[in-house]
Amino acid sequence: MKTTIIIPTYNEQENIIALIDALQAQFDRMSHDMGILVVDDNSPDGTADRVRAVQGRYSNVWLITGEKEGLGAAYLRGMRYCMDELGSEVVFEMDADFSHRPEDVPRLMHEVDEGADFVIGSRYVRGGSIPTEWGLVRRLNSLYGNVVARYVAGIYRVRDCTAGFRAIRVPLLRDIDFDALRVKGYAFQVALLHEAVIKGAKVVEIPVDFVDRAAGESKLGIRDIIEFILNAWWIRLRTFRTFIKFALVGLSGVVVNLGSFTLLLALGMNKYLASPVAIELSIIWNFLLNNYWTFRWRRTKDRARIKGLKFNIVSLLALGVSYSVFVMFSQIFPDLPPQWGQLVGILPAMLVNYMLNTYWTFRDTEPEPS
Ligand code: GDD
Ligand code: MN
């Protein structure tokens, strides 16, 4: 598989060449078509020139440059380049400062080979570690970041949500609307992970030892921290809004169901035929609203057909549930107005609809607390 390690750099001239050399040594032991993309933001220390100098030596090293907008913005540019220009099938995120050990690259890649979509080199699973040199403040900072990501943004199941050492399958990235991420800095890590989780990606964490940087300094700033916290709350708010929208759509579906049922009866249609027709109409109504409104921000072009197919299966199931309840009700209470049976049938059908469309069609799998 064509695999590209994306390394964002800002003033990393002391590290970048040593890292590229170390990575190449690992590539020699790997069976995949490995390459490196350095995304440098016009570092004043001349990082980019260093990279250009080794491009003659290595044909699998690419470089793109741009204005400094933040870590997340650099990754987004790098990922777009991998998709549009390099044709990568897997991309890695990796720091330039040797905090992520080159020897761990084959281990992450192995998990991709085993079927993972999103592999995290994790400091917070058994066997992983943070540097022993880290002081209390740095430890608490990292811990707090993960608590916010897990319990505010709702990525409960992942232990290291802020990790910057990852391997991601490109088809998953293509499914994600980059413009909707709205982040420029370090918050990108959480924003991207959250998108992957709601897409139903197979996320795997493997333990790594995070090494303190030896040369240069960290670029994490106060703006990154503020954006990080705002982003986590934004994700939470969006999830809540989705739920409210789904409920509103369901309510409007009831009106469509009962309204069209009454209309069809008035037109002289047999109630046993009018019922499934009205049910189907409301299901289509619900799907269109959910697809183009509720879950609009998750919508992707290439998956629309599959979603449509899944929706049809869910529709048939919900129709069967609703109709059988209607028939049962009509047999038990033949004298009651048929609208009552229709209404009672909506409830279990709505449940089936909600569960399957949320957790299957639209993959709204917010993981349960672990
Ligand atoms: N192009 C570009 N533009 N690169 C950047 C920028 C930027 O604005 N900011 C940082 N980088 C590069 C650095 O040069 C380095 O290669 C990498 O991104 C990580 O930056 P560091 O400044 O070393 O980050 P850190 O050590 O504080 O943070 C690490 O741990 C965090 C979690 O605790 C990183 O792995 C983060 O991704 C991670 O979230
Ligand atoms: Mn670092």
Side-chain angles (χ1 to χ4, degrees):
M1 270 186 292
K2 187 167 168 74
T3 302
T4 310
I5 314 245
I6 304 175
I7 307 173
T9 54
Y10 193 73
N11 289 343
E12 301 286 2
Q13 62 93 13
E14 292 167 284
N15 294 309
I16 190 64
I17 299 310
L19 181 65
I20 290 174
D21 288 337
L23 282 172
Q24 299 289 352
Q26 294 300 322
F27 294 170
D28 291 342
R29 311 194 296 123
M30 298 172 71
S31 57
H32 293 284
D33 174 8
M34 305 296 294
I36 297 168
L37 172 68
V38 176
V39 184
D40 184 62
D41 288 352
N42 297 330
S43 301
D45 75 347
T47 303
D49 288 333
R50 289 283 187 127
V51 176
R52 285 189 196 98
V54 293
Q55 277 181 315
R57 222 162 14 104
Y58 298 120
S59 58
N60 61 346
V61 173
W62 288 270
L63 168 73
I64 57 175
T65 56
E67 291 303 310
K68 186 174 179 351
E69 288 179 291
L71 179 66
Y75 267 126
L76 286 174
R77 259 191 293 128
M79 287 175 180
R80 282 210 176 93
Y81 190 81
C82 286
M83 291 193 272
D84 301 343
E85 307 292 329
L86 301 182
S88 316
E89 292 156 276
V90 176
V91 296
F92 271 69
E93 291 182 8
M94 191 173 185
D95 292 353
D97 59 0
F98 284 95
S99 283
H100 305 137
R101 299 187 312 176
E103 308 89 273
D104 288 332
V105 167
R107 292 178 55 232
L108 266 70
M109 195 66 209
H110 178 72
E111 295 299 325
V112 176
D113 289 335
E114 296 288 296
D117 300 307
F118 197 108
V119 185
I120 301 171
S122 176
R123 299 162 292 182
Y124 298 116
V125 291
R126 188 185 292 274
S129 71
I130 52 175
T132 44
E133 312 81 286
W134 274 12
L136 187 66
V137 173
R138 187 92 205 253
R139 278 166 200 267
L140 283 179
N141 223 351
S142 181
L143 182 76
Y144 181 65
N146 267 296
V147 166
V148 169
R150 291 177 72 189
Y151 298 104
V152 177
I155 314 173
Y156 307 109
R157 242 181 229 164
V158 176
R159 297 301 162 104
D160 197 346
C161 297
T162 60
F165 193 20
R166 298 157 158 187
I168 308 160
R169 279 182 194 272
V170 169
L172 170 65
L173 287 183
R174 289 194 194 279
D175 229 20
I176 292 172
D177 181 4
F178 281 0
D179 296 326
L181 291 183
R182 295 171 179 237
V183 281
K184 295 257 181 252
Y186 286 58
F188 167 78
Q189 307 292 19
V190 171
L192 186 74
L193 174 63
H194 178 258
E195 288 296 316
V197 167
I198 60 176
K199 293 285 180 202
K202 187 178 178 209
V203 180
V204 172
E205 283 183 274
I206 61 166
V208 297
D209 296 316
F210 187 94
V211 186
D212 226 358
R213 73 154 70 226
E217 54 193 35
S218 170
K219 279 86 198 173
L220 181 86
I222 184 71
R223 283 175 66 145
D224 289 293
I225 294 173
I226 293 169
E227 185 189 51
F228 185 95
I229 294 166
L230 290 179
N231 174 61
W233 284 103
W234 165 250
I235 289 172
R236 165 52 54 109
L237 190 76
R238 207 176 58 173
T239 313
F240 182 67
R241 271 202 341 224
T242 303
F243 174 74
I244 296 291
K245 284 180 179 177
F246 198 93
L248 284 176
V249 169
L251 211 65
S252 75
V254 174
V255 175
V256 168
N257 186 332
L258 290 179
S260 56
F261 183 61
T262 306
L263 192 75
L264 292 169
L265 289 181
L267 289 173
M269 193 184 270
N270 177 294
K271 69 175 180 180
Y272 289 107
L273 181 61
S275 169
V277 171
I279 293 166
E280 183 60 30
L281 279 176
S282 68
I283 289 171
I284 292 172
W285 168 268
N286 281 358
F287 173 72
L288 291 177
L289 281 184
N290 279 325
N291 194 47
Y292 293 105
W293 185 54
T294 317
F295 298 110
R296 188 190 166 86
W297 51 279
R298 293 185 193 171
R299 192 159 54 93
T300 52
K301 287 176 213 97
D302 44 354
R303 285 274 184 91
R305 233 179 288 163
I306 296 165
K307 266 193 311 197
L309 188 74
K310 286 180 173 177
F311 168 71
N312 273 319
I313 296 166
V314 175
S315 297
L316 278 175
L317 248 156
L319 182 91
V321 169
S322 186
Y323 188 52
S324 52
V325 169
F326 174 76
V327 171
M328 251 166 28
F329 192 91
S330 298
Q331 302 296 316
I332 302 168
F333 307 104
D335 300 329
L336 283 179
Q339 274 86 354
W340 286 105
Q342 190 72 346
L343 186 67
V344 170
I346 287 170
L347 295 174
M350 235 164 68
L351 200 72
V352 168
N353 239 328
Y354 177 79
M355 297 308 275
L356 289 179
N357 280 325
T358 306
Y359 292 103
W360 191 48
T361 314
F362 298 105
R363 288 268 187 192
D364 188 22
T365 43
E366 280 304 309
E368 297 297 315
S370 50

